[in-house]
Every structure is written in C-alpha cells, then in structure tokens.
Amino acid sequence: MCEAHRMSSIQVADQTFVAAAAETVAETIGAPNRWRLWWPDLSLDVTDDRADRGIRWRVGGALTGTMEVWLEPMPVLHGVILHYFLHAEPAAGTTSDLLEEIRRRRAAGKAMAFEVKRRLEAGRAAGERPVHADL
C-alpha cells in the first residue's frame, strides 16, 4: 500500500448533538485558547476554517496527523451534530500503549464536545427549545 493511502494507527470518530446555532458552536470551537485546554499536548495549525461547518487542523506535538470538527446542521432539532475526527500517529520517539492512546484521545474528544454542549446549552432544560430557535 502506498504511503498516501496508509491507515492511521489512531483513528477516533465521535458525534454529539448540540442544541445551539451552528455559528455559535463554530465560534466556540474556533477559539484557539480553548484548544490548549482540550488538547494540551498537541499543536494545532488550521488547514481549513469552514466557518459554521467546522474546522480542520494539522496536528503536531505528541501526535502527527489531522483532526476535524465538522458541524452538521439539524434544523428540525434546532442544533447541530458535532462530528469529531482524529487520524494520527504517535510522534516519533514516543512509546505508548496504542490502545490506551486511542482510549485517551476518544475521551479527550468527548470531553471537548460535552464542554461545548454544557457551555452552549446552559440553563436549557432537556427537551426545551433552545433560545436561538425562537429568533
């Protein structure tokens, strides 16, 4: 198999519904000061800022690869599905248990998504229409 088509050792894919406008979710995800909190051992370089559709990064630091948050509009539900993808390899010279690394990266992605959800849905009861739906 050629190098360009080789599958990454670390592949994480997850999704979380967020009852907030895509623009608001994108603004929260796009804040570089949060990236260091969510992924403290990674350096992220934006490769594609897709505005209310999400953001893509080139990943360095503890991992080498790509990461993306894709925002899929769900107008009927008045929110978005936040899709999180990470495709990477451990950085050269690092030794870690690959299964533990995948578990850790999956947990970090879910923690990011739940923080966004908590922040943007604060004060909204489950099942209640989000405030932005009435605008």
Side-chain angles (χ1 to χ4, degrees), residues 12-96:
V12 175
D14 193 44
Q15 60 186 23
T16 303
F17 177 76
V18 180
E23 298 81 13
T24 307
V25 177
E27 184 179 303
T28 302
I29 296 296
N33 61 323
R34 289 197 174 94
W35 304 345
R36 184 60 63 195
L37 298 172
W38 295 329
W39 306 289
D41 61 342
L42 302 180
S43 61
L44 302 177
D45 294 314
V46 175
T47 59
D48 192 7
D49 184 343
R50 301 173 62 221
D52 65 350
R53 294 295 210 166
I55 190 166
R56 294 179 182 140
W57 298 273
R58 181 178 317 104
V59 177
L63 300 176
T64 302
T66 61
M67 187 164 62
E68 175 179 3
V69 171
W70 168 46
L71 302 175
E72 178 183 5
M74 300 300 291
V76 173
L77 298 174
H78 307 292
V80 298
I81 297 178
L82 183 157
H83 298 271
Y84 169 72
F85 302 100
L86 172 66
H87 302 277
E89 297 293 332
T94 62
T95 57
S96 64

Side-chain angles (χ1 to χ4, degrees), residues 87-121:
H87 302 277
E89 297 293 332
T94 62
T95 57
S96 64
D97 177 328
L98 195 54
L99 292 177
E100 175 57 25
E101 189 67 24
I102 292 167
R103 185 208 63 74
R104 192 166 77 87
R105 298 304 173 171
R106 187 177 313 279
K110 191 53 98 175
M112 172 274 302
F114 281 166
E115 180 189 325
V116 170
K117 185 172 183 65
R118 274 190 305 274
R119 176 183 300 273
L120 299 181
E121 293 182 8

Side-chain angles (χ1 to χ4, degrees), residues 19-21 24 74-79 124 128-135:
T24 307
M74 300 300 291
V76 173
L77 298 174
H78 307 292
R124 176 186 156 271
E128 185 177 274
R129 283 172 61 98
V131 173
H132 76 276
D134 297 328
L135 301 178

